[in-house]
Amino acid sequence: MIEVNDLKKEYADEGTSTTALSGVSFSIDKGEFVSIMGPSGSGKSTLLHILSFLDRPTGGSYKFQGKSIDDMDDHELAHVRNKDMGFVFQSFNLLSRLTVYSNVEIPLLYSDISPSRRKNLIEDAIKAVGLEEKIHTEAGKLSGGQKQRVAIARALVTDPNVIFADEPTGNLDSKSGLQVMEILESLNKKKGRTVILVTHETQTAEFADRIIRIKDGTVESDKKVVEKHHHQDPLK
């Protein structure tokens, strides 16, 4: 589904150039759950921006669903991004005065889906994250964990092929963080969604099947997660 080969990214700034990525290669299959880890400044955010079409590489190749990013103009990239990609951010990015329903509806506002189908999609997405009873509550009145679940529902509503989650537990206490990760995990296991998670927390990363570690702009390691510890943790 995703194939990057020798991916490079340099930022030019007043005559000096900074290398954010210096030759990253890996592929991700449909239905995989992959964590991208790395310290601050390692290039993981840059990599996420390129994978999610927010930025273009300065070298190497990136194919999404078999199509090279070089063959798509900005309009096409935006279209694929809206149709095939769902996003969950550390800061939720919700509109606090709108209800849960209206927040989840936002990605569908410009689509040509019939109103009845739209309503079903929104209700299904909210049900998938277990927030049916909050459907008409203003987002600003929810707890952090509930807000992040609304953000996941909003990411799901377009029925994307891949969900990108950028530090989704970064602003949450451990119990809420665990709930959010369990929802992402079940979307992957039960619904076959491809999930790409960027995190610096090992415990969060271990929900994935595979962890790609980035250091100094290159892939330091790319390993399957053999043992998942999070389910047996008696303190949670």
Side-chain angles (χ1 to χ4, degrees):
M1 181 175 205
I2 281 178
E3 200 181 329
V4 299
N5 203 352
D6 200 26
L7 206 62
K8 297 184 171 80
K9 181 70 185 180
E10 290 196 1
Y11 293 101
D13 183 39
E14 294 175 14
T16 60
S17 73
T18 314
T19 303
L21 296 174
S22 50
V24 169
S25 302
F26 58 82
S27 58
I28 295 174
D29 292 332
K30 189 168 172 49
E32 269 198 281
F33 186 164
V34 179
S35 286
I36 296 173
M37 286 193 81
S40 177
S42 59
K44 66 179 189 294
S45 303
T46 302
L47 180 59
L48 181 78
H49 284 154
I50 292 171
L51 292 179
S52 60
F53 290 2
L54 284 175
D55 203 350
R56 288 179 182 263
T58 42
S61 67
Y62 171 25
K63 284 184 182 168
F64 181 75
Q65 303 193 121
K67 198 162 180 197
S68 170
I69 190 170
D70 295 335
D71 297 337
M72 298 189 237
D73 60 23
D74 290 349
H75 178 74
E76 262 182 292
L77 291 185
H79 177 71
V80 173
R81 205 167 174 268
N82 292 338
K83 187 170 81 60
D84 288 328
M85 300 177 175
F87 296 90
V88 182
F89 304 95
Q90 179 174 345
S91 55
F92 322 134
N93 291 5
L94 300 177
L95 296 171
S96 56
R97 308 207 31 196
L98 291 184
T99 62
V100 168
Y101 184 96
S102 300
N103 268 288
V104 174
E105 185 179 26
I106 289 169
L108 299 178
L109 290 176
Y110 302 105
S111 68
D112 43 15
I113 298 169
S114 72
S116 61
R117 170 99 178 106
R118 182 185 292 189
K119 184 169 181 288
N120 288 342
L121 287 170
I122 295 164
E123 287 171 354
D124 287 351
I126 292 169
K127 194 184 277 178
V129 300
L131 282 178
E132 301 94 313
E133 77 286 359
K134 301 282 187 193
I135 193 163
H136 300 303
T137 304
E138 280 183 21
K141 300 196 167 118
L142 301 175
S143 69
Q146 288 169 334
K147 285 178 182 169
Q148 194 56 293
R149 280 151 66 187
V150 175
I152 293 171
R154 182 186 56 194
L156 277 180
V157 77
T158 55
D159 194 23
N161 282 321
V162 57
I163 293 172
F164 290 101
D166 189 3
E167 300 279 6
T169 58
N171 285 338
L172 304 176
D173 60 70
S174 56
K175 185 165 176 282
S176 306
L178 190 69
Q179 282 180 333
V180 161
M181 290 312 301
E182 282 170 350
I183 289 171
L184 286 172
E185 185 178 50
S186 91
L187 290 172
N188 170 256
K189 297 283 171 285
K190 297 192 176 111
K191 302 273 197 267
R193 307 269 175 187
T194 309
V195 179
I196 298 176
L197 169 78
V198 169
T199 180
H200 64 275
E201 297 168 15
T202 305
Q203 201 177 357
T204 304
E206 284 178 349
F207 274 84
D209 306 316
R210 177 179 157 203
I211 299 176
I212 298 173
R213 290 178 191 272
I214 305 285
K215 190 180 177 193
D216 300 330
T218 58
V219 174
E220 184 183 33
S221 66
D222 182 347
K223 294 196 177 89
K224 290 252 182 272
V225 177
V226 186
E227 208 177 316
K228 300 202 175 189
H229 303 290
H230 56 270
H231 292 311
Q232 307 88 280
D233 189 347
L235 299 172
K236 288 280 179 276

